[in-house]
Amino acid sequence: MAGPGTGTVTGGDGGGGPSYRVWALGGMPEVRAGDDLAELIAATRPGLADGDVLLVTSKIVSKAEGRIVEATDREAAIDAETVRVVARRGTLRIVENRQGLVMAAAGVDASNTPAGTVLLLPEDPDASARAIRDGLRDALGVRVGVVVTDTFGRPWRTGLTDVAIGAAGVRVLDDLRGGTDAYGNPLSATVVATADELASAGDLVKGKATGLPVAVVRGLAHVVAEDGAAADGARALVRGAADDMFRLGTSEAVREAVTQRRTVREFTDEPVDPGAVRRAVAAAVTAPAPHHTTPWRFVLLESAKARTRLLDAMRDAWIADLRRDGGTEESIARRVRRGEVLRRAPCLVVPCLVMDGSHTYGDERRDTAEREMFVVAAGAGIQNFLVALAGERLGSAWVSSTMFCREVVREALDLPESWDPLGAVAVGRPAAAPRDRPARDVEDFVTVR
């Protein structure tokens, strides 16, 4: 294998098996806004053949498309290209940019560009790849695939590698699911990112500072789509949000779970994973508490029988209270229907306060404050629980009703006298996306002294 930019990389098993060649194209001039990249590449007399794959560094695509801006404020350029902040550490930001790519600084690059300027990624890298491919077909009469590449860092791996951000005429993914391996084992999750592997191969000869922005791969014609055949662009390589288990950094994930928590009143019939609820309880019991105590208990009503027994008893107690208040049967029925959110949930949790370890002072003021400390600690645990459920993509609704009939709840659930129910939490998969929360100005809730 030759060094970066010096010529050719040959891949194969050395024993007559499959092989390929990768080489960098020399003779590319400095690219300027408005240049036709296909014409510039054709002018180097690249000797392209049908089935070759051309690997083009995104920087020259950006230059040709005029994606160069004055860098008076690089952070502002990053802001303009950012759709969502994934993680932040100091001044470094990992973000999702407008092309859907998750990368450092939204792909805004100050290297290989004149001082005082930065390069933005192509607005539509797949369209850029199509234009180069079509231009080379017109100029040279060859059927090639084109991959536009950029340099990425990767989670859990040190070092950078090139990946595909745009593609045309290339089968970017090789889906092996449904097949078998050499031992006959079924392949159920194997989807190969072929375009990324091509991009990395090209980077071995292009290098980062050698002035060789274009490489060619030969010998892998099977990855080049026939004219008229379906071939996805590189956008197909971007993992969708629903399948992305690592969508956010740690602190950002916590903030999103807090801000995305909503009161959900309609649930699907999908069962709730008991493990997810227990993980949320594990988060709940990390809340602060007075005197090194553990004032939280969570009663998990995982069976329909237990939920029905509790809710029927609570409904009867509530109706009796409403009748004592002078409510009409119609108004009572209406209020009971509104309160049925707990019955519609596939899982129900009753958080309880225990005062074990509390102090008794014999002074009303201090004894009241002591109980308030424990109630606040229990509330912190419940909030942790709700936020952790949101992190598990579970909806929840905290309802205060058990606090109004504690004796009924203790009897229905066979709880100790010392356990004080603090409402109930309905848990399940939301039946619909929650409505947007009204905007709240933080300054309305802050007093500075």
Side-chain angles (χ1 to χ4, degrees), residues 134-176:
D134 293 345
L136 289 171
R137 182 179 55 208
D138 293 343
L140 301 176
V142 292
R143 180 183 58 81
V144 297
V146 175
V147 175
V148 177
T149 71
D150 198 62
T151 302
F152 271 43
R154 298 148 301 151
W156 308 296
R157 303 288 288 182
T158 298
L160 305 171
T161 186
D162 266 22
V163 302
I165 66 168
V170 174
R171 294 183 173 90
V172 297
L173 293 166
D174 188 8
D175 191 346
L176 303 179

Side-chain angles (χ1 to χ4, degrees), residues 426-438:
V427 182
R429 299 287 177 187
R435 290 178 292 181
D436 289 337
R437 179 184 286 118

Side-chain angles (χ1 to χ4, degrees), residues 411-430:
E411 181 178 352
L413 300 181
D414 192 23
L415 301 180
E417 185 68 25
S418 60
W419 289 25
D420 280 346
L422 293 180
V425 180
V427 182
R429 299 287 177 187

Side-chain angles (χ1 to χ4, degrees), residues 22 165 177 240-241 272 274 323:
V22 188
I165 66 168
R177 292 173 297 182
V272 172
R323 284 173 176 160

